[in-house]
Structures are given as C-alpha cells and as structure tokens.
Amino acid sequence: MSKRSSAKYKLDRRMGENVFGRPKSPVNKREYGPGQHGQRRKGKMSDFGIQLRAKQKLKGYYGDVTEKQFKRTYTEAARMKGDTGQNLIGLLERRLDMIVYRAKFAPTIWAARQIVSHGHIRVNGVKCNIASRRVNVGDLIELGPKAQQMALVMEAQSLAERDIPDYVSPDGTARATFVRVPTLDEVPYPVRMEPNLVVEFYSR
C-alpha cells in the first residue's frame, strides 16, 4: 500500500479547485496556492503544463496513487480496445478502495484504503486487504462485522455531500455490488477531469 506523501488539501490549493468535494477544503475560503508565493499572478501555462496538471489532478483524486502504478494503469488502458481516456477511468474506478469509497463505506478515499488494508472488506465472501485489487462486474463487496460498527463507516453513510453512483448497487448498508464499468460522464467527480489530456501527456 502506498503511503500518502503530502497533505491531502495541498492538492486542492495547488489546483485552485475543491478536487475531493469536501466541505472542509481550504479552497472554499482561499482559492490561491499554498506557500508564500501562492498569491502571485499566474502566467500562461504551456501545453505540457496543462497536461501535467490534468495528470496530477486525476492521480491525486484517486488517493495519490504512485506514479509507477498510475503509469502502469495508463499503459494497460492504452492496450485495450476503444478510447484510452475512457478505459483509464474505467480501470481506476474498478480499484477496490474506490468501490468501497463509492459505496459510502468510508468518508474519504484514504479512509477507504485504510479500511481495505486493515482487512475489513470482503470480496465475494473472501477477505481482501489489497486496495489496488481490480474488482470485476458482478463482484459483491461487503463490510466485515467489526467495520459495520466503526464510527468512520457510520459517518460516511450519513454524508449528504455525495450519492452512491448507478454503477454500484447497494444492498442495505454493508453490501454493494459492482454493476458495470462506468464511463467518464457517469463518475461523480466534484471537479472536471480531463483524461484526454492525461493520454496526451503520456503519449508525447
């Protein structure tokens, strides 16, 4: 499991957007970047800069996936039939920690990763502690008995700021089925994601 290397809200301030859609985001109060030079007027960004920013935003949204892991996912998406950008989103949304987050078993993607790595999640009845595991269509994701009593899980289920998307079908509060691989427009991102720019970045 990769450890978060920077403060999660630093990404929000660097991008100038509430990337995770959280009410506590500092961008809600100040829309400039972190550090003493954060309020400087920004110059025109190059094409490379725009592509890099799109890549950092998408990578950061999925819990700061390591560069190696993210590039490997892109390479796999590029080998698949169809649109590479859509394939990339589909592969990222199939991560086990992401399904746990989408099913509202955890309030944040980092909490979802922690719940998985601590062995609180079962896939088709079998305990799994690998956050990056690829979930297949039809797989049943369940919370373990201990996790169902956790304050963190109860907090996530009471969050009004996000809904469970159509491609994850809940069965009560402790079970959910991954129904289908989503397309970009089905994924409930709080901000605009541009996987086409990520494809341009890697295919330079």
Side-chain angles (χ1 to χ4, degrees), residues 8-9 12 18 21-29 155 161:
K8 60 184 173 185
Y9 289 131
D12 282 12
N18 187 351
R22 298 285 287 163
K24 287 182 184 174
S25 174
V27 173
N28 298 337
K29 294 178 187 170
E155 178 205 337
E161 68 207 45

Side-chain angles (χ1 to χ4, degrees), residues 9-16 32-34 42 53 56:
Y9 289 131
K10 195 176 276 188
L11 180 74
D12 282 12
R13 293 188 62 200
R14 194 165 67 229
M15 298 296 164
Y32 49 86
K42 293 177 178 70
R53 185 185 166 91
Q56 298 292 60

